[in-house]
Amino acid sequence: MRKAGLNFWLACGLFLTGAGLAVSGFVRWLVLPCGGGQGFRGGRWAYPEPVFIFTRGTWDDIHKFFAVVFVGLVAAHVMLHWNWLVGMWRSLGRRQGP
Ligand code: HEM
């Protein structure tokens, strides 16, 4: 695949995983902030597990899955643009000279 095509699909992946992280993160934060999970010695806070489409635990798993894929795609993005980054770093360094 040509580099432009690879960059395009990488950008699509970054957008979709970023959106997935935002959705699952905000659901976890604002819609299902607490309840369920591990109550003290399985005590009365342990159940019922709150549900919004999925259970809170599943939203956590979705969030973590997207986080791993997103970080991998960011690493690939940085590698593909490494020469650009080094060039920019050097030209910024030159500009700040005396
Ligand atoms: C709009 C963006 C995001 C929102 C609103 C968000 C929200 C949250 C919330 C509310 C939690 C639970 C915190 C807690 O229990 O104290 C969480 C956990 C976490 N987030 Fe995010 N997050 C976002 C983006 C990200 C990104 C970009 C990454 C990494 C690439 C990430 C990785 C994680 C991980 C690894 C956890 C711990 C999950 C666990 O322990 O079960 N999040 N996030």
Side-chain angles (χ1 to χ4, degrees):
M1 189 188 293
R2 293 206 346 257
K3 195 171 175 186
L6 191 60
N7 276 330
F8 173 77
W9 290 113
L10 193 58
C12 290
L14 280 165
F15 174 78
L16 291 174
T17 50
L21 270 168
V23 170
S24 55
F26 281 114
V27 167
R28 174 66 174 69
W29 180 20
L30 301 174
V31 185
L32 302 172
C34 56
Q38 304 88 15
F40 177 65
R41 291 183 179 170
R44 67 192 175 98
W45 300 112
Y47 299 99
E49 188 169 15
V51 173
F52 173 71
I53 307 170
F54 307 116
T55 62
R56 187 165 174 266
T58 303
W59 280 110
D60 271 356
D61 290 343
I62 292 170
H63 195 63
K64 281 184 271 191
F65 172 79
F66 277 131
V68 170
V69 178
F70 183 76
V71 168
L73 293 178
V74 168
H77 180 75
V78 168
M79 284 193 303
L80 278 173
H81 295 88
W82 189 250
N83 290 337
W84 183 89
L85 278 169
V86 171
M88 181 55 78
W89 182 261
R90 286 194 181 136
S91 82
L92 286 176
R94 270 199 297 275
R95 229 179 273 172
Q96 285 164 1

Coordinates of all heavy atoms in Angstrom, one line a residue, residues 1-54:
M1 N 0.8 -1.2 0.0 CA 0.0 0.0 0.0 C 0.9 1.3 0.0 O 1.9 1.3 0.7 CB -0.9 0.0 1.2 CG -2.0 1.1 1.2 SD -2.8 1.2 2.8 CE -3.7 -0.3 2.9
R2 N 0.5 2.3 -0.8 CA 1.2 3.5 -0.8 C 1.2 4.2 0.5 O 0.2 4.0 1.3 CB 0.7 4.4 -1.9 CG 1.0 3.8 -3.3 CD 1.1 4.8 -4.4 NE 0.6 6.2 -4.1 CZ -0.6 6.7 -4.5 NH1 -1.4 5.9 -5.2 NH2 -0.9 7.9 -4.2
K3 N 2.2 5.1 0.8 CA 2.3 5.7 2.1 C 1.0 6.6 2.4 O 0.5 6.7 3.5 CB 3.6 6.5 2.2 CG 3.8 6.9 3.7 CD 5.2 7.5 3.9 CE 5.3 7.9 5.3 NZ 6.5 8.7 5.6
A4 N 0.6 7.3 1.3 CA -0.6 8.1 1.5 C -1.8 7.3 1.9 O -2.6 7.7 2.8 CB -0.9 8.9 0.2
G5 N -2.0 6.1 1.3 CA -3.1 5.3 1.7 C -3.0 4.8 3.1 O -4.0 4.8 3.9
L6 N -1.8 4.4 3.5 CA -1.5 3.9 4.9 C -1.9 5.1 5.9 O -2.5 4.8 6.9 CB -0.1 3.5 5.0 CG 0.3 2.8 6.2 CD1 -0.5 1.5 6.4 CD2 1.8 2.5 6.2
N7 N -1.4 6.3 5.5 CA -1.7 7.4 6.4 C -3.2 7.7 6.5 O -3.7 8.0 7.6 CB -1.0 8.7 5.8 CG 0.4 8.8 6.3 OD1 0.8 8.3 7.3 ND2 1.2 9.4 5.4
F8 N -3.9 7.5 5.4 CA -5.4 7.7 5.4 C -6.0 6.7 6.4 O -6.8 7.1 7.3 CB -5.9 7.6 4.0 CG -7.4 7.6 4.0 CD1 -8.1 8.8 4.1 CD2 -8.2 6.5 3.8 CE1 -9.5 8.9 4.1 CE2 -9.6 6.5 3.8 CZ -10.2 7.7 4.0
W9 N -5.7 5.4 6.2 CA -6.4 4.4 7.1 C -5.9 4.5 8.5 O -6.7 4.3 9.4 CB -6.1 3.0 6.5 CG -6.8 2.8 5.2 CD1 -6.3 2.6 4.0 CD2 -8.3 2.8 5.1 NE1 -7.3 2.5 3.0 CE2 -8.5 2.6 3.7 CE3 -9.3 2.9 5.9 CZ2 -9.8 2.6 3.1 CZ3 -10.6 2.9 5.4 CH2 -10.8 2.7 4.0
L10 N -4.7 5.0 8.7 CA -4.2 5.2 10.1 C -5.0 6.3 10.7 O -5.5 6.2 11.9 CB -2.7 5.5 10.1 CG -2.0 5.5 11.4 CD1 -2.1 4.1 12.0 CD2 -0.5 5.8 11.1
A11 N -5.2 7.4 10.0 CA -6.0 8.5 10.5 C -7.4 8.1 10.8 O -8.0 8.5 11.8 CB -6.0 9.7 9.5
C12 N -8.0 7.3 9.9 CA -9.4 6.8 10.2 C -9.4 6.0 11.5 O -10.3 6.1 12.3 CB -9.9 5.9 9.1 SG -10.2 6.7 7.5
G13 N -8.4 5.1 11.7 CA -8.3 4.3 12.9 C -8.2 5.2 14.1 O -8.8 5.0 15.2
L14 N -7.3 6.2 14.0 CA -7.1 7.2 15.1 C -8.4 7.9 15.5 O -8.8 8.0 16.7 CB -6.0 8.2 14.8 CG -4.6 7.7 15.0 CD1 -3.6 8.6 14.3 CD2 -4.3 7.5 16.5
F15 N -9.2 8.3 14.4 CA -10.4 9.0 14.7 C -11.4 8.1 15.4 O -12.0 8.4 16.4 CB -11.0 9.5 13.4 CG -12.4 10.1 13.6 CD1 -12.5 11.4 14.1 CD2 -13.5 9.4 13.2 CE1 -13.8 11.9 14.3 CE2 -14.8 9.9 13.4 CZ -14.9 11.2 13.9
L16 N -11.6 6.8 14.8 CA -12.6 5.9 15.4 C -12.2 5.5 16.8 O -13.1 5.4 17.7 CB -12.7 4.7 14.5 CG -13.4 5.0 13.1 CD1 -13.3 3.8 12.2 CD2 -14.8 5.5 13.3
T17 N -11.0 5.1 17.1 CA -10.6 4.7 18.4 C -10.7 5.9 19.4 O -11.1 5.7 20.5 CB -9.2 4.1 18.5 OG1 -8.3 4.9 17.8 CG2 -9.2 2.7 17.8
G18 N -10.3 7.1 18.9 CA -10.4 8.3 19.7 C -11.9 8.5 20.1 O -12.2 8.8 21.3
A19 N -12.8 8.4 19.1 CA -14.2 8.6 19.4 C -14.7 7.5 20.4 O -15.5 7.8 21.3 CB -15.0 8.5 18.1
G20 N -14.3 6.3 20.1 CA -14.6 5.2 21.0 C -14.2 5.4 22.5 O -14.9 5.1 23.4
L21 N -13.0 5.9 22.6 CA -12.4 6.2 23.9 C -13.3 7.3 24.6 O -13.6 7.2 25.8 CB -11.0 6.7 23.8 CG -9.9 5.7 23.9 CD1 -8.6 6.3 23.5 CD2 -9.8 5.1 25.3
A22 N -13.6 8.4 23.8 CA -14.4 9.5 24.4 C -15.8 9.0 24.8 O -16.2 9.2 25.9 CB -14.5 10.6 23.3
V23 N -16.5 8.2 23.9 CA -17.8 7.7 24.3 C -17.7 6.8 25.5 O -18.5 7.0 26.5 CB -18.4 7.0 23.1 CG1 -19.7 6.2 23.5 CG2 -18.7 7.9 21.9
S24 N -16.8 5.8 25.5 CA -16.8 4.8 26.6 C -16.3 5.6 27.9 O -16.8 5.3 29.0 CB -15.9 3.6 26.3 OG -14.6 4.1 25.9
G25 N -15.4 6.5 27.7 CA -14.9 7.3 28.9 C -16.0 8.1 29.5 O -16.2 8.1 30.7
F26 N -16.8 8.8 28.7 CA -17.8 9.7 29.2 C -19.0 8.9 29.8 O -19.6 9.3 30.8 CB -18.3 10.7 28.2 CG -17.4 11.9 28.0 CD1 -16.7 12.1 26.9 CD2 -17.2 12.7 29.1 CE1 -15.8 13.2 26.7 CE2 -16.3 13.8 29.0 CZ -15.7 14.0 27.8
V27 N -19.3 7.7 29.2 CA -20.3 6.8 29.8 C -19.8 6.4 31.2 O -20.6 6.4 32.2 CB -20.6 5.6 28.9 CG1 -21.4 4.5 29.6 CG2 -21.3 6.0 27.6
R28 N -18.6 6.0 31.2 CA -18.0 5.5 32.5 C -18.0 6.6 33.5 O -18.1 6.3 34.7 CB -16.6 4.9 32.2 CG -15.8 4.5 33.3 CD -16.4 3.3 34.0 NE -15.5 2.8 35.0 CZ -15.2 3.5 36.0 NH1 -15.7 4.6 36.3 NH2 -14.3 3.0 36.9
W29 N -17.8 7.8 33.1 CA -17.6 8.9 34.0 C -19.0 9.5 34.4 O -19.3 9.7 35.6 CB -16.8 10.0 33.3 CG -16.5 11.3 34.1 CD1 -16.6 11.4 35.5 CD2 -16.2 12.5 33.6 NE1 -16.3 12.7 35.8 CE2 -16.0 13.4 34.7 CE3 -15.9 13.0 32.3 CZ2 -15.6 14.7 34.5 CZ3 -15.5 14.3 32.2 CH2 -15.4 15.2 33.3
L30 N -19.9 9.8 33.4 CA -21.1 10.6 33.7 C -22.3 9.7 33.8 O -23.3 10.1 34.5 CB -21.3 11.6 32.6 CG -20.1 12.6 32.4 CD1 -20.4 13.5 31.2 CD2 -20.0 13.5 33.7
V31 N -22.4 8.6 33.1 CA -23.6 7.8 33.1 C -23.6 6.7 34.1 O -24.6 6.4 34.8 CB -23.9 7.2 31.7 CG1 -25.3 6.5 31.7 CG2 -23.9 8.3 30.6
L32 N -22.4 6.0 34.2 CA -22.3 4.9 35.2 C -21.1 5.1 36.1 O -20.2 4.4 36.1 CB -22.1 3.5 34.4 CG -23.1 3.1 33.4 CD1 -22.7 1.9 32.7 CD2 -24.5 2.8 34.1
P33 N -21.1 6.2 36.9 CA -19.9 6.6 37.7 C -19.6 5.6 38.8 O -18.5 5.4 39.2 CB -20.2 8.0 38.2 CG -21.7 8.1 38.2 CD -22.2 7.2 37.1
C34 N -20.7 5.0 39.4 CA -20.4 4.1 40.5 C -21.4 3.0 40.7 O -22.4 3.0 40.0 CB -20.3 4.9 41.8 SG -21.8 5.8 42.1
G35 N -21.2 2.2 41.6 CA -22.1 1.0 41.8 C -21.6 -0.2 41.1 O -20.8 -0.1 40.2
G36 N -22.0 -1.4 41.6 CA -21.5 -2.6 41.0 C -20.0 -2.8 41.3 O -19.5 -2.2 42.2
G37 N -19.4 -3.7 40.6 CA -18.0 -4.0 40.8 C -17.8 -4.7 42.1 O -18.6 -5.5 42.6
Q38 N -16.7 -4.3 42.8 CA -16.3 -5.0 44.0 C -16.8 -4.2 45.2 O -16.2 -3.2 45.6 CB -14.8 -5.2 44.1 CG -14.2 -5.9 42.9 CD -13.8 -4.9 41.8 OE1 -13.7 -3.7 41.9 NE2 -13.5 -5.5 40.6
G39 N -17.8 -4.7 45.9 CA -18.2 -4.1 47.2 C -17.3 -4.8 48.2 O -16.7 -5.8 48.0
F40 N -17.3 -4.2 49.4 CA -16.5 -4.7 50.5 C -16.9 -6.1 50.8 O -18.0 -6.4 51.2 CB -16.6 -3.8 51.7 CG -15.8 -4.3 52.9 CD1 -14.4 -4.4 52.9 CD2 -16.5 -4.8 54.0 CE1 -13.7 -4.9 53.9 CE2 -15.7 -5.2 55.1 CZ -14.4 -5.3 55.1
R41 N -16.0 -7.1 50.6 CA -16.2 -8.5 50.8 C -17.6 -9.0 50.1 O -18.4 -9.7 50.7 CB -16.3 -8.9 52.3 CG -15.0 -8.7 52.9 CD -15.0 -9.1 54.4 NE -13.7 -9.0 55.0 CZ -13.4 -9.1 56.3 NH1 -14.4 -9.3 57.1 NH2 -12.2 -9.0 56.7
G42 N -17.8 -8.4 48.9 CA -19.0 -8.8 48.1 C -20.2 -8.3 48.8 O -21.3 -8.9 48.7
G43 N -20.1 -7.2 49.6 CA -21.2 -6.7 50.3 C -22.3 -6.0 49.5 O -22.3 -6.2 48.3
R44 N -23.2 -5.2 50.2 CA -24.4 -4.8 49.5 C -24.1 -3.9 48.3 O -25.0 -3.6 47.5 CB -25.4 -4.2 50.5 CG -24.9 -2.9 51.1 CD -25.8 -2.6 52.3 NE -25.4 -1.4 53.0 CZ -25.9 -0.2 52.7 NH1 -26.8 0.0 51.9 NH2 -25.4 0.8 53.4
W45 N -22.9 -3.3 48.2 CA -22.6 -2.4 47.1 C -22.3 -3.2 45.8 O -22.1 -2.6 44.8 CB -21.4 -1.5 47.4 CG -21.7 -0.6 48.6 CD1 -21.1 -0.7 49.8 CD2 -22.7 0.4 48.7 NE1 -21.7 0.2 50.7 CE2 -22.7 0.9 50.0 CE3 -23.7 0.9 47.8 CZ2 -23.5 1.9 50.5 CZ3 -24.5 1.9 48.3 CH2 -24.4 2.4 49.6
A46 N -22.1 -4.5 46.0 CA -21.6 -5.3 44.8 C -22.7 -5.5 43.8 O -22.4 -5.6 42.6 CB -21.2 -6.7 45.3
Y47 N -24.0 -5.4 44.1 CA -25.1 -5.7 43.2 C -26.2 -4.7 43.4 O -26.4 -4.2 44.5 CB -25.6 -7.1 43.4 CG -24.6 -8.2 43.1 CD1 -23.9 -8.8 44.1 CD2 -24.2 -8.5 41.8 CE1 -22.9 -9.7 43.9 CE2 -23.2 -9.4 41.5 CZ -22.6 -10.0 42.6 OH -21.6 -10.9 42.3
P48 N -27.1 -4.4 42.4 CA -27.0 -4.9 41.1 C -26.0 -4.1 40.3 O -25.8 -2.9 40.5 CB -28.4 -4.7 40.5 CG -28.9 -3.5 41.3 CD -28.2 -3.6 42.6
E49 N -25.4 -4.8 39.3 CA -24.4 -4.0 38.5 C -25.2 -3.1 37.5 O -26.1 -3.5 36.8 CB -23.6 -5.0 37.6 CG -22.4 -4.3 36.9 CD -21.4 -5.2 36.3 OE1 -21.7 -6.4 36.2 OE2 -20.3 -4.8 36.0
P50 N -24.9 -1.8 37.5 CA -25.6 -0.8 36.7 C -25.4 -1.1 35.2 O -24.3 -1.5 34.8 CB -25.1 0.5 37.1 CG -23.8 0.3 37.8 CD -23.8 -1.1 38.3
V51 N -26.4 -0.8 34.4 CA -26.4 -1.1 33.0 C -26.8 0.1 32.2 O -27.8 0.8 32.5 CB -27.3 -2.3 32.7 CG1 -27.4 -2.5 31.1 CG2 -26.9 -3.6 33.3
F52 N -26.0 0.4 31.2 CA -26.5 1.4 30.2 C -26.0 0.8 28.8 O -24.8 0.8 28.5 CB -25.8 2.8 30.4 CG -26.1 3.7 29.3 CD1 -27.4 4.3 29.1 CD2 -25.1 4.1 28.4 CE1 -27.6 5.1 28.0 CE2 -25.3 5.0 27.3 CZ -26.6 5.5 27.1
I53 N -26.9 0.1 28.2 CA -26.6 -0.7 27.0 C -25.8 -1.9 27.4 O -26.2 -3.1 27.2 CB -25.9 0.1 25.8 CG1 -26.8 1.3 25.5 CG2 -25.8 -0.9 24.6 CD1 -26.1 2.3 24.5
F54 N -24.6 -1.7 28.0 CA -23.7 -2.8 28.5 C -23.6 -2.5 30.0 O -23.9 -1.4 30.5 CB -22.3 -2.7 27.9 CG -22.3 -2.8 26.4 CD1 -21.8 -1.7 25.7 CD2 -22.8 -3.8 25.7 CE1 -21.8 -1.7 24.3 CE2 -22.8 -3.8 24.3 CZ -22.3 -2.8 23.6

